[in-house]
Amino acid sequence: MKTLLHVKSSIFGDDGQSVQLADRLIKRWLQQNPEGQVVVRDLAAEPIAHFDMQTIAALSAEAEQRSPEQQAIVALSDQLITELQEADVLVLAAPMYNFAVPSQLKAWFDQIAKNGVTFRYTEQGPVGLLQDRPVYVLATRGGQYREAGLDFQVPWIKLILGFVGLKQVEVVYAEGLNMAGADVAIEQARVELDALTLS
Ligand SMILES: Cc1cc2nc3c(=O)[nH]c(=O)nc-3n(C[C@H](O)[C@H](O)[C@H](O)COP(=O)(O)O)c2cc1C
């Protein structure tokens, strides 16, 4: 049985345009994988705290010396990484907020990029430790950046996914969603989505 991990970061929850595109893709995936299991990590509904000194102290403490608060921090970190390790397919619903990914999604990446677990440094540089698997990114934005060469969101997502070993990344863009012609743009994204060969 395959597992798909759906990471949502829209502050609009299930009404978010990125989430709706992701839901469409997942519906198709479930038709192809009727036994498939979908795990949802909703970063807006259950935000992850910023990566800070408390987090580092908890992750560095010896297991038997951790306070209850530190145990909770480590448990969440472990859970987020396990969800990712166990997923055969990753779906990232990724809106653009202030030219970048939502801070909720950045906080998730801060947690799952863990030295010795999802990447490690070698003499030749960093090596991703996650087994590669298909990743589908639904990139929604109010304006248009792709053609203008001003996209700091998707290249960053690809960079950090590659850093942890995930290189099979397909991106569906829905641009100009706050501009005239948004209906056409979202329809184009749906068509592109429906044409993807899903794993
Ligand atoms: C807080 C916030 C910041 C945004 N910043 C940008 C931006 O920098 N560039 C842009 O093109 N659109 C921006 N938008 C518009 C969103 O990218 C667009 O509405 C997108 O479809 C939202 O996806 P969602 O509905 O999945 O959250 C912003 C929206 C919000 C709520």
mmCIF file of all heavy atoms in Angstrom, residues 59 81 89 176:
data_model
loop_
_atom_site.group_PDB
_atom_site.id
_atom_site.type_symbol
_atom_site.label_atom_id
_atom_site.label_comp_id
_atom_site.label_asym_id
_atom_site.label_seq_id
_atom_site.Cartn_x
_atom_site.Cartn_y
_atom_site.Cartn_z
ATOM 1 N N LEU A 59 16.823 19.016 20.891
ATOM 2 C CA LEU A 59 17.342 17.987 19.980
ATOM 3 C C LEU A 59 18.744 17.534 20.386
ATOM 4 O O LEU A 59 19.139 16.401 20.107
ATOM 5 C CB LEU A 59 17.367 18.520 18.532
ATOM 6 C CG LEU A 59 15.989 18.799 17.912
ATOM 7 C CD1 LEU A 59 16.140 19.476 16.555
ATOM 8 C CD2 LEU A 59 15.172 17.521 17.761
ATOM 9 N N ILE A 81 9.649 13.941 10.437
ATOM 10 C CA ILE A 81 10.615 13.239 9.588
ATOM 11 C C ILE A 81 10.099 11.845 9.222
ATOM 12 O O ILE A 81 10.217 11.412 8.078
ATOM 13 C CB ILE A 81 12.001 13.201 10.261
ATOM 14 C CG1 ILE A 81 12.577 14.623 10.285
ATOM 15 C CG2 ILE A 81 12.948 12.253 9.530
ATOM 16 C CD1 ILE A 81 13.858 14.794 11.053
ATOM 17 N N VAL A 89 5.012 9.252 -1.943
ATOM 18 C CA VAL A 89 4.771 10.430 -2.786
ATOM 19 C C VAL A 89 4.572 11.628 -1.853
ATOM 20 O O VAL A 89 3.903 11.498 -0.818
ATOM 21 C CB VAL A 89 3.487 10.237 -3.631
ATOM 22 C CG1 VAL A 89 3.174 11.472 -4.451
ATOM 23 C CG2 VAL A 89 3.594 9.018 -4.523
ATOM 24 N N GLY A 176 -0.684 34.573 -11.366
ATOM 25 C CA GLY A 176 -1.594 35.675 -11.699
ATOM 26 C C GLY A 176 -2.974 35.485 -11.096
ATOM 27 O O GLY A 176 -3.968 35.950 -11.659
#
